[in-house]
Amino acid sequence: MSETVKDTELALITLAAGQGSRMNSDRPKVLHALAGVPLIWHALRSGDAVSPARRIVVTGHGADAVEHAVALYDAAITCVRQAQQSGTADAVAQAQSPLAEFQGDAVVLYGDTPFISAQTLQRMQDARVSADLVVLGFEAEDPGRYGRLVENGQSLERIVEAKDASPQELSINLCNSGVVMADCATLFDLVSQVSNKNAAGEFYLTDIIQIGRHAGLSAQVVRCPQSETLGINTRGELAAAEARFQSTARLQALTDGVTLQDPDTTIFAFDTVIGRDSSVGAHTVFGPGVSVESGVEIRPFCHLEGCHISRGAIVGPFARLRPGAELQEDTHIGNFVEVKNSTIAPGAKVNHLSYVGDAEIGAASNIGAGTITCNYDGVSKHRTTIGARAFIGSNTLLVAPVSVGDDAMTGSGTVVTDDIPDGDLALARARQVNKPGMARRLLQLLRAQKAKKQGG
Ligand code: UD1
Ligand code: MG
């Protein structure tokens, strides 16, 4: 052999054309959310672990929406459409034309199977040294509807779909995960020979084993734990997959040196990153795109999404960080504060009841309770810029676009519509008037009126 397995380029074919009718949903199955992102992203990430040279996704049901989600994952992925969902072999055949020039191996993954590990795919690549066709199998607790793998010693002879299996074949516990690896040209050649003469009237990808064996090819099973092959067909399975993802992510965070006050109530996303010696309070939800550096304190009941938090920051309790929130070192974001598309420079504090949207807040500034950036005029969004060491009085409204200079100040209750130069104090509110004794007289009058009504 002139080349080693490692030199063989890999093409990833991910099948995602099926309707997923058992989800009982208008939404294509692979677009249901798992860990905050479309299910298919998990399969794509599994495949990326083995650095494929080419990636093809086969779409069909809800193709436009599925292709949009795939492009959001990575626009370099090629999507091809399967006109009719007539079986997994027909789905694989759609990938032939984009891979016509490709030389190397192909691996078939399912878009609805999120947990195939890098190590497992690696073991399949290793097994390709001694077998033409490699199938990923698992010992099923309840083999149910899965295809059964019929072995003869070390050799895989064929795969029988449950619908077509004899009682004896149904008693086999070794099941087909759906993941197959073979030389790409060989795979397409075998797929072209598959017929649909079976109980479902479908073109079964699983038939390539028997066809290949008859043609003198060798086939082998690589085994993995059933938990890795968990495929999602129902909402119950989706919920079980979410639970599995969360328990793995929690354990990983704890192992990585993150304190979780109550791990069972922390919800992670697909791509959450948290640095060592950070802590996360109970009931905190991470949406996609959050990275937290080391030494950050996240207090209970926060909701974070698409944001970055630098070391030394304190967030919450009850804070909401939305996409584009950039918290620099030693910032404080307190209770009932929402931050969106804004940079909070080192040492700045927004501690109570505020909305900071489309804003720049300078270093060591203090944003008083109830401050609101009025960023939206009903048509467009506008920016607010606040300099360093500024002091924004409680209940200030900053009507954007507007800027506040370094070392500037606003009085409580100010509505800022004009820029404030460095070092100035802005006051924009009605001057207070005290009416001597008027409150007492007014109250006496009101009480007398009430007593008269009740008496009469
Ligand atoms: C398939 C396998 C079965 C295996 C099981 C593991 C076949 C014939 N059977 O059965 O041996 O135990 O997976 O979960 O392969 N798809 C398309 N186009 C189609 C049909 C399916 O893209 O025309 C896609 C689906 O979107 C899905 C995947 O292929 O991602 C598997 O299809 P599905 O219908 O779930 O196959 P199973 O009946 O579960
Ligand atoms: Mg299935």
Side-chain angles (χ1 to χ4, degrees), residues 388-442:
R389 299 170 306 279
F391 183 92
I392 305 299
S394 296
N395 212 29
T396 293
L397 303 182
L398 296 146
V399 182
V402 75
S403 74
V404 177
D406 293 343
D407 305 295
M409 211 175 193
T410 70
S412 300
T414 288
V415 180
V416 182
T417 51
D418 296 326
D419 291 350
I420 308 174
D422 290 351
D424 282 10
L425 166 67
L427 295 169
R429 60 187 189 204
R431 181 169 288 281
Q432 181 172 332
V433 183
N434 288 352
K435 307 277 186 185
M438 188 155 172
R440 195 174 293 118
R441 288 198 301 280
L442 194 59

Side-chain angles (χ1 to χ4, degrees), residues 15-18 82 85-88 91 110-112 146-147 161 176-177 204 206 233:
L15 306 188
Q82 183 189 22
Q85 281 68 74
S86 55
T88 43
Y110 290 171
D112 64 1
Y146 288 114
E161 288 304 293
N176 176 30
S177 70
Y204 291 159
T206 44
N233 299 294

Side-chain angles (χ1 to χ4, degrees), residues 22 29 96 102 107 111 198 217 226 234 263-264 267 277 300 365 371 376 401 421 428:
R22 285 190 284 153
K29 174 165 71 178
Q96 183 162 13
F102 182 78
V107 58
N198 52 52
L217 299 178
Q226 178 164 12
T234 64
D264 288 347
I267 306 293
D277 285 326
S365 285
T371 296
Y376 186 51

